[in-house]
């Protein structure tokens, strides 16, 4: 989604803004622009397409110490030059992340007052509204606080005013914003990677706070100065670089062994004792609901399968964009778990707020430290995936599954369904998990990709937990390779979809659950006999019983708690290799955004 960077300091702002925008590229965008004050006036340079197009438009030797920049992911209006940010009206120049829901109504009112709009965006209205309020208030801070009363929707804003050209303002509501604190230079950004080249010190801005950056940073709440805690980002720029890998996605898959180690270690370091002490106690809840979007939702489905198999707690999993508008069946005995890499996904956040308004307990499983979900949920467990740059998630998904699997282990043990001995064995297997993952990463998936990449359609089938894993495999393939990929519970195929299976149709099946392996194996026979080309991801013991497929990826037979994570890796790598053969922009698939902060 859109990205914001802003700078006020002693360096040339153009370079800082461009570097910041490049660091935000991973969020997904279709146009980019900057505005800067050159000592005489505000200048705006913007363009559709990539940041290098913007760089080509910039004259050399521009002198400026203050500016704002933006990568746009089009929502209102085409991704063309004119709709790109920054937008300017009267004395105000702005960049905006989010969506203004009442922009049409505001626009009509402003047109009547004489404002002429050039773009189709909702964002241009903000610049006009600021200018209009300022024409009577004559005070930028007051103007921004009054603006907030008029806007309905989500926004993070970087604001420059012609009358105070050396001051950078910013504010937010329901869209993330941080302030980077440097040495005689300060920044605003939609997330930390944008400022990491210059500083790892940052402040998280809360809804309706206003930031004023002159030679220092002042944050206002209700127009009064408010104290903010300066945080240190734990990590370095290296995580935002490819380190010799062709793509961030591949690099992030190779990070999975260490991500799993870092995520699970706090719960395993001293065996069962650590799990009991460090995992919050969920045994008082009679039901669990899990809410997330995309891969986070899929991680929830895997979690449901493990929790329900090893505990007495029923689990329902919901897509956040549905959950937020559904009737709630939660009560005080329900725990709602929210899963999100970014911690800023608009639908997931709205779902959390919905259950909080009913005083229902929540747990967030989140990657980004200090993100909105992490701050607003009752309890938070951080996965330790580090910044994930590739739009398609891999390591964060795996770490989400790991946490859910540990929740299942803890709960099953507390409910006395898992014995102490068994729990200790499972913990030992978790400690070996990074090595299993390393081994499975090292296999060769190019041959399978060669079967897939020329076809425009592919099916995934599985049952139970393997259906949940297949859903993620299918999403991964379609989002990065643009192959139409559909996933079905294996037994469901014959109720209609099997009519699409022809000679040469690719079918990928996952079987890790021995108890229902035979059922899925007979579904494989059904598609095979209609000419399908089948790739089977399965464990050693099942593979030995069944030879009749075109490709087999064999994973070790471990246990139900860690097997799903091992099985997920081949699915990620098959998608990666296929997208590579198709020449796709793997880290930045078209139309997609890393952090979906609008509804
Ligand atoms: C797919 C993918 C998305 C995200 C989804 C939720 O590879 O990355 O489906 O999983 O947009 O995002 P978060 O986890 O940030 O809430």
């Amino acid at each position: 989604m859109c990205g914001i960077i802003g700078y006020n300091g002693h360096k040339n702002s153009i370079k800082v803004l461009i570097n910041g925008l490049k660091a935000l590229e991973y969020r997904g965008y279709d146009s980019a622009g900057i505005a800067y004050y050159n000592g005489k006036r505000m200048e705006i340079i913007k363009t559709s397409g990539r940041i290098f197009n913007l760089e080509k438009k910039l004259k050399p030797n521009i002198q400026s110490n203050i500016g704002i920049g933006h990568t746009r992911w089009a929502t209102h209006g085409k991704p063309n030059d004119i709709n790109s940010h920054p937008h300017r009206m009267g004395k105000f120049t702005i960049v905006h992340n989010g969506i203004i829901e009442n922009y049409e109504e505001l626009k009509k009112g402003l047109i009547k007052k004489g404002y002429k709009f050039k773009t189709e965006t909702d964002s241009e209205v903000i610049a006009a509204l600021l200018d209009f309020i300022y024409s009577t208030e004559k005070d930028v801070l007051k103007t921004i606080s009054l603006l907030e009363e008029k806007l309905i929707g989500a926004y993070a804003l970087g604001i420059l005013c012609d009358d105070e050209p050396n001051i950078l303002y910013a504010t937010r509501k329901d869209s993330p914003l941080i302030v980077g604190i440097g040495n005689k230079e300060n920044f605003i950004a939609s997330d930390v990677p944008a400022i990491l080249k210059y500083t790892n010190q940052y402040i998280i801005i809360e809804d309706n706070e206003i930031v004023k950056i002159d030679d220092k940073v002042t944050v206002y709440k209700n127009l009064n100065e408010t104290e903010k805690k300066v945080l240190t980002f734990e990590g370095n720029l290296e995580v935002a670089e490819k380190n010799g890998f062709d793509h961030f996605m591949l690099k992030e898959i190779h990070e999975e062994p260490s991500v799993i180690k870092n995520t699970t270690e706090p719960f395993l370091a001293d065996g069962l004792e650590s799990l009991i002490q460090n995992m919050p106690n969920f045994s008082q809840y009679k039901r669990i609901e899990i809410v997330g979007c995309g891969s986070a939702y899929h991680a929830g489905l895997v979690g449901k399968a493990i929790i329900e198999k090893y505990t007495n707690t029923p689990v329902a999993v919901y897509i956040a964009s549905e959950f937020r508008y559904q009737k709630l069946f939660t009560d005080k005995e329900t725990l709602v778990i929210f899963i999100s890499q970014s911690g800023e996904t608009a639908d997931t956040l709205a779902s959390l707020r919905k259950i909080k308004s009913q005083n229902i307990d929540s747990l967030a499983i989140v990657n980004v430290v200090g993100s909105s979900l992490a701050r607003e949920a009752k309890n938070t467990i951080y996965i330790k995936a580090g910044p994930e740059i590739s739009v398609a998630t891999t390591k964060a998904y795996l770490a989400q599954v790991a946490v859910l699997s540990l929740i299942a282990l803890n709960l099953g043990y507390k409910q006395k369904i898992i014995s102490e001995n068994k729990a200790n064995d499972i913990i030992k297997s978790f400690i070996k998990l990074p090595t299993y993952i390393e081994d499975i990463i090292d296999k060769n998936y190019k041959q399978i990709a060669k079967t897939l990449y020329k076809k425009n359609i592919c099916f995934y089938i599985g049952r139970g937990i393997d259906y949940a894993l297949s859903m993620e495999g299918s999403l991964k393939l379609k989002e990065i390779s643009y192959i139409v990929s559909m996933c079905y519970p294996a037994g469901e195929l014959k109720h209609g979809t099997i009519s699409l299976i022809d000679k040469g149709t690719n079918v990928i099946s996952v079987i890790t659950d021995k108890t229902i392996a035979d059922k899925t194996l007979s579904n494989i026979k059904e598609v095979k006999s209609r000419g399908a080309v089948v790739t089977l991801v399965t464990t050693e013991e099942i593979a030995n019983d069944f030879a009749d497929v075109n490709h087999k990826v064999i994973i070790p037979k471990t246990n139900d708690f860690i097997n799903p994570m091992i099985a997920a890796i081949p699915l990620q790598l098959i998608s990666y290799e296929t997208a590579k053969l198709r020449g796709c922009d793997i880290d930045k698939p078209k139309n997609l955004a890393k952090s979906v902060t609008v509804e």
Side-chain angles (χ1 to χ4, degrees):
M1 282 278 108
C2 307
I4 286 181
I5 175 78
Y7 178 75
N8 195 0
H10 56 90
K11 293 195 178 81
N12 187 330
S13 69
I14 310 300
K15 209 168 166 195
V16 180
L17 296 176
I18 294 294
N19 282 336
L21 291 181
K22 284 182 179 163
L24 290 169
E25 276 193 296
Y26 77 96
R27 292 169 68 96
Y29 72 108
D30 42 52
S31 38
I34 60 167
Y36 57 90
Y37 180 61
N38 65 7
K40 291 189 187 119
R41 62 187 166 271
M42 297 291 173
E43 297 280 1
I44 295 179
I45 314 283
K46 53 187 187 172
T47 180
S48 59
R50 296 296 187 200
I51 291 164
F52 60 77
N53 298 338
L54 177 66
E55 285 182 284
K56 277 193 229 151
K57 281 192 164 183
L58 293 171
K59 293 202 183 84
N61 306 324
I62 301 172
Q63 291 306 316
S64 164
N65 300 110
I66 179 167
I68 48 181
H70 191 263
T71 46
R72 174 173 186 249
W73 187 85
T75 57
H76 294 63
K78 289 180 213 70
N80 56 22
D81 290 3
I82 192 79
N83 287 333
S84 311
H85 296 216
H87 295 293
R88 181 173 166 80
M89 196 66 91
K91 293 185 167 181
F92 283 83
T93 307
I94 62 121
V95 285
H96 167 222
N97 282 4
I99 288 182
I100 303 304
E101 288 165 17
N102 60 337
Y103 84 101
E104 279 175 334
E105 186 193 323
L106 291 170
K107 195 167 177 174
K108 274 186 207 142
L110 288 159
I111 288 171
K112 280 193 194 134
K113 292 185 170 72
Y115 284 92
K116 291 195 169 53
F117 290 87
K118 296 192 244 4
T119 80
E120 302 159 273
T121 67
D122 52 336
S123 312
E124 196 183 13
V125 168
I126 302 171
L129 196 53
L130 281 167
D131 189 67
F132 176 67
I133 302 170
Y134 183 75
S135 64
T136 48
E137 292 299 327
K138 307 281 182 218
D139 177 290
V140 181
L141 209 57
K142 186 101 188 285
T143 299
I144 297 173
S145 75
L146 290 172
L147 172 90
E148 303 193 326
E149 290 172 12
K150 304 224 177 314
L151 296 181
I152 299 174
Y155 51 86
L157 298 171
I159 303 167
L160 295 171
C161 173
D162 290 0
D163 286 350
E164 297 182 10
N166 292 310
I167 303 180
L168 169 60
Y169 288 93
T171 189
R172 70 157 264 182
K173 189 181 148 276
D174 292 343
S175 196
L177 183 73
I178 57 129
V179 171
I181 309 291
N183 185 7
K184 297 200 185 115
E185 57 180 356
N186 297 297
F187 310 76
I188 58 163
S190 36
D191 61 25
V192 178
I195 57 160
L196 269 188
K197 214 178 181 94
Y198 304 98
T199 179
N200 64 355
Q201 305 286 298
Y202 68 103
I203 291 171
I204 294 171
I205 302 305
E206 304 282 350
D207 277 357
N208 302 114
E209 287 180 342
I210 302 173
V211 182
K212 179 180 180 185
I213 304 179
D214 38 28
D215 52 355
K216 61 184 184 312
V217 174
T218 317
V219 181
Y220 298 88
K221 180 118 204 148
N222 302 324
L223 293 177
N224 297 316
E225 282 188 34
T226 181
E227 281 290 311
K228 298 292 291 185
K229 195 164 159 211
V230 178
L231 307 170
T232 303
F233 181 77
E234 316 258 345
N236 51 38
L237 244 194
E238 214 175 71
V239 293
E241 283 166 3
K242 284 189 210 144
N243 286 349
F245 287 95
D246 286 348
H247 298 95
F248 280 110
M249 181 175 175
L250 190 62
K251 176 188 170 232
E252 286 160 6
I253 291 172
H254 278 82
E255 284 168 3
E256 288 181 322
S258 62
V259 166
I260 289 298
K261 184 169 180 289
N262 296 341
T263 301
T264 58
E265 209 162 39
F267 306 105
L268 304 175
D270 293 319
L272 201 47
E273 203 48 40
S274 311
L275 187 71
I276 295 164
Q277 295 215 331
N278 299 336
M279 177 64 75
N281 187 355
F282 300 127
S283 50
Q284 73 270 33
Y285 298 107
K286 289 225 170 83
R287 276 173 302 284
I288 291 178
E289 297 194 350
I290 301 180
V291 181
C293 299
S295 300
Y297 166 71
H298 295 157
L301 292 174
V302 176
K304 170 186 162 78
I306 309 175
I307 296 170
E308 287 190 339
K309 186 160 181 182
Y310 289 95
T311 76
N312 285 327
T313 309
V315 181
V317 189
Y318 296 96
I319 291 172
S321 54
E322 294 291 317
F323 182 86
R324 65 183 290 187
Y325 297 114
Q326 258 167 238
K327 184 174 162 189
L328 283 180
F329 288 95
T330 43
D331 57 23
K332 297 276 177 288
E333 294 182 320
T334 313
L335 172 70
V336 188
I337 302 180
F338 295 88
I339 306 181
S340 175
Q341 187 285 127
S342 61
E344 302 293 350
T345 302
D347 288 316
T348 314
L349 198 52
S351 301
L352 168 66
R353 289 176 181 161
K354 175 174 170 163
I355 66 111
K356 271 181 75 176
S357 71
Q358 312 278 312
N359 288 323
I360 308 294
D361 285 353
S362 56
L363 166 74
I365 299 177
V366 176
N367 190 31
V368 176
V369 177
S371 55
S372 303
L373 266 175
R375 282 180 285 129
E376 294 186 28
K378 183 171 179 199
N379 278 304
T380 296
I381 296 179
Y382 281 115
I383 55 167
K384 306 253 173 66
E388 196 177 53
I389 305 295
S390 162
V391 164
T393 181
T394 51
K395 58 178 182 171
Y397 162 80
L398 207 73
Q400 290 160 356
V401 174
V403 169
L404 290 165
S405 183
L406 288 174
I407 288 174
L409 176 59
N410 189 38
L411 209 53
Y413 174 70
K414 291 213 169 100
Q415 293 176 351
K416 300 196 174 11
I417 296 166
I418 301 173
S419 69
E420 189 168 339
N421 278 349
K422 178 141 196 208
N424 281 320
D425 285 348
I426 294 166
I427 286 174
K428 279 187 203 135
S429 75
F430 261 101
I431 291 167
K432 279 205 235 147
L433 180 57
T435 316
Y436 288 127
I437 296 175
E438 269 163 25
D439 292 346
I440 208 82
I441 288 176
D442 284 344
K443 292 195 183 225
N444 190 339
Y445 300 94
K446 292 197 174 84
Q447 238 9 70
I448 301 173
K450 279 187 189 155
T451 313
L452 298 180
Y453 88 104
K454 283 193 183 142
K455 299 274 165 74
N456 282 324
I457 190 158
C458 180
F459 290 91
Y460 283 73
I461 55 171
R463 285 173 187 257
I465 194 163
D466 295 323
Y467 171 53
L469 289 167
S470 301
M471 283 179 80
E472 175 58 10
S474 173
L475 176 65
K476 212 88 300 171
L477 185 71
K478 71 175 79 123
E479 68 179 327
I480 62 168
S481 75
Y482 315 140
I483 291 174
V484 177
S485 163
M486 288 180 258
C487 179
Y488 285 89
E492 182 65 10
L493 210 58
K494 63 169 87 65
H495 296 285
T497 316
I498 202 161
S499 66
L500 294 171
I501 306 284
D502 269 324
K503 190 162 185 301
T505 308
N506 282 305
V507 175
I508 299 180
S509 182
V510 183
I511 313 180
T512 61
D513 185 351
K514 175 96 170 118
T515 59
I516 41 172
D518 285 350
K519 305 288 171 194
T520 311
L521 291 173
S522 60
N523 299 128
I524 290 177
K525 283 185 187 139
E526 286 161 9
V527 294
K528 266 246 111 199
S529 60
R530 285 159 181 82
V533 176
V534 177
T535 297
L536 175 62
V537 177
T538 192
T539 58
E540 307 157 301
E541 53 171 354
I542 299 168
N544 290 341
D545 296 348
F546 195 79
D548 189 22
V549 288
N550 303 79
H551 302 282
K552 259 188 216 174
V553 180
I554 299 178
I555 63 166
K557 168 73 190 131
T558 54
N559 58 54
D560 293 337
F561 289 81
I562 68 162
N563 246 340
M565 285 172 270
I566 307 173
I569 315 288
L571 301 176
Q572 296 174 347
L573 283 161
I574 289 169
S575 301
Y576 172 80
E577 295 294 353
T578 306
K580 199 169 166 193
L581 286 178
R582 285 168 73 97
C584 298
D585 190 353
I586 293 181
D587 288 330
K588 296 192 281 291
K590 69 173 162 28
N591 303 337
L592 291 181
K594 183 69 186 161
S595 180
V596 184
T597 48
V598 296
E599 194 175 346

